[in-house]
Amino acid sequence: MPDYVWSSTRPWNEGTRSSSLSNEATVTEILTVSLHLRMMMQNKRHVKCDESKPRCVNCATADVPCHYLTAPARGSPQPSTGVNGATQIKPLESTALHVSDRKTISVSPLAPTAEPRPSPSVDLDSIRLLHHWSTMTCPTLTHDIEQQDLWRTTVVKHGITHPFLLHEILALAALHLATDNPEEQDLLVTRATELQNDALGRFHEVAVTDESNCIAVMLFSCLLGVHLLADRSPTQGLGSSAYLDHIFRCIGLLRDVMKLAIRDWASFFQASDIAPLIKDRNPQVPYNNIPNECRDLTELVKESDLGPSSVTAYNTAIDRLFWLLAVSGVPNVSHNTSQWAIGWPVQLPDEYNVLLNQRQPQALIILSYYGVVLHFYRESWTIGDTGARLVRAVNSHSITGLVLAPRDLSHKTPSKSRAHTIMAEEYVLYRYSPSLVAAILAIIVFTVLSALHTYRMIRSRLLFCLPFTIGGIFELIGYVGRAIGHYNPESLPPYVLQSILILMAPALFAATIYMTLGRIIRATHAEAYSPIRVNWLTKIFVFGDVLSFCTQGAGGGQLAAGDPDKVKQGQNIILGGLFLQIVIFGLFILVSFIFHQRLRKQPTSESLVNNLRWQKMMGILYVVSAIILVRNIFRVVEYVGGNDGPLLRVEWPIYVFDALLMAATMAVWGLWYPTVIRPRGTKIGAAEAAGVPLPNVDKVAQDYKSGVPAGTS
């Protein structure tokens, strides 16, 4: 067997790899084992060996190697005592290994040697992968039992003759095994990449495609296409544009290699041992069961001002897409194998591939319909979410002047005019590639502002401002999650992290704002002017804020489930929390305004202290409350639009109407901290010394409650 499956003592060279071994030599390489015994060193500690197998207790205790021979097996060389009592080993007589009734292989007798002969070792890793290929991977390639058997046997036979094919078989098996073994996933994916790179290197050494290798080249191209679709690691963290580039490269590689293999060898393949793998599937023309949404594609070419070559290319691509729909049964059938999945790319004309790389709108729209077909292969481990990602990538690309795009072929939801509606039953994390630059800028801004608030809170010892500081930290961590999402936009944990923390941070800001109003009322001794009893005012607003906070948090937790129904339920819960927060903020602004007007008309003696800048603090409360209110309204509109809404198709609204507004809130509050509501150093007597007449607070309160105008009593 070749050296990439077995590692033997026989020296191998390139000529040996490609040539077939004789049956005798092959059996010898596999069955030969070490038949000689090693002479051990004399025991330096003079510990007598008790000859127990596999290692005696005395030698194990003394931590020395056993120097006595194990008990000889039947037919093995017998020890004898020679001159001076030295132990001698009689060489074995010539032995024969009977492999079959017709073949007998002679094994030369082994004489004692000074250098031990190394035992041949088996590459268990390759055997494990080959076993997984035969038992687990092949059934995922096709539903056809006959074709599965060919992938197990005939294809492997061609791989033994052509190492580039065998290495790709093992690479795909390693990639499949990684999906079933999370604990070994990183190691197996790395192994798959190494094997694929080796396969590609060996493939590039094939100078000419002829009868000796054309079958292996064709099989290799098929498996390479499946591998490219199945391997998600190169596409992790790619934005929409970069992901489209990856798809273009895959399509180009599949089309070129398959064209090379099939163009001149179709008749040869039909007469070969792999003929069942490439049997023609030509459904009746015109194709039946093509969804009306797909038939609209023909209008795409008719209504466009295109040249003759472009029209021909687009019509061919559309016809091959209809063929794929017909042979695969989509959308009436979903698939858990990759059969027919790469049937469309390999049949594309050269002109269409050029238009696709130029990102022509018509070419991208046709490609997005191919993504629709792949979406019905999502149960196959090789396809997964490739269709969904492809449609989202095309959808995020600007296609001006055209509104035709894939609609929901499953008819599970009403048809819409954008491509991503085919995933209406799924919750899409991002409909764009999260900007790393914007996330980093937000991280820097909120880091500085959070540090400022932490410093001011500790210095002023105003612990009621702790929720505001924690809110800033929430914003900071939330945008760290968005930065992680740039590299892994399909990962749920960082998405949920940023969604919940950025969503809930303003509720923490509001808690401090509510408590600040209560402190202003107490500092001015104007409890009588509050529409709500001051002992209840802070409790009511803070309780409402906590309720809103918990509601939004519960809704955000539903997003982590990933189930579309629970996600929709979570969005509705979040909407309820946001509405509650808006109502509470509106009530708070109203209470603040009433209190402010009453105190301004009939000031208390404490409110006239110069150092108690309560009116300035009231202005700050209005500013930050208005900012947060605008932000909450934006969030409500965003969630009302749903995951498919216009505000979630692009990224800039969350930075303009959330990040920027919350940064402004933190900046205003940090610069004009509520320490201004604490009188510093002066007493009320300072105002009296300045000749300011101060009314008696108790009398003012009594007069206000009885309806007596200020200054008339």
Side-chain angles (χ1 to χ4, degrees), residues 12 24 42 50 69 96 99 131 156 241 254 294 387 393 407 618:
W12 290 86
E24 293 80 6
Q42 290 291 334
D50 63 9
L69 296 175
V99 180
H131 175 265
V156 173
S241 180
L254 284 171
C294 292
R407 300 182 178 184
M618 288 298 298

Side-chain angles (χ1 to χ4, degrees), residues 513-514 516-517 520 531 585-600 614-630 665 668-669:
I513 293 171
Y514 298 150
T516 301
L517 177 60
I520 292 176
F585 250 113
L587 181 61
F588 171 77
I589 294 175
L590 178 62
V591 170
S592 301
F593 180 77
I594 293 174
F595 164 76
H596 188 188
Q597 294 303 313
R598 289 176 178 177
L599 184 57
R600 195 163 58 108
W614 68 272
Q615 293 205 67
K616 181 178 182 180
M617 199 64 218
M618 288 298 298
I620 294 173
L621 285 182
Y622 294 144
V623 171
V624 295
S625 297
I627 294 175
I628 295 177
L629 190 60
V630 171
T665 300
V668 171
W669 198 262

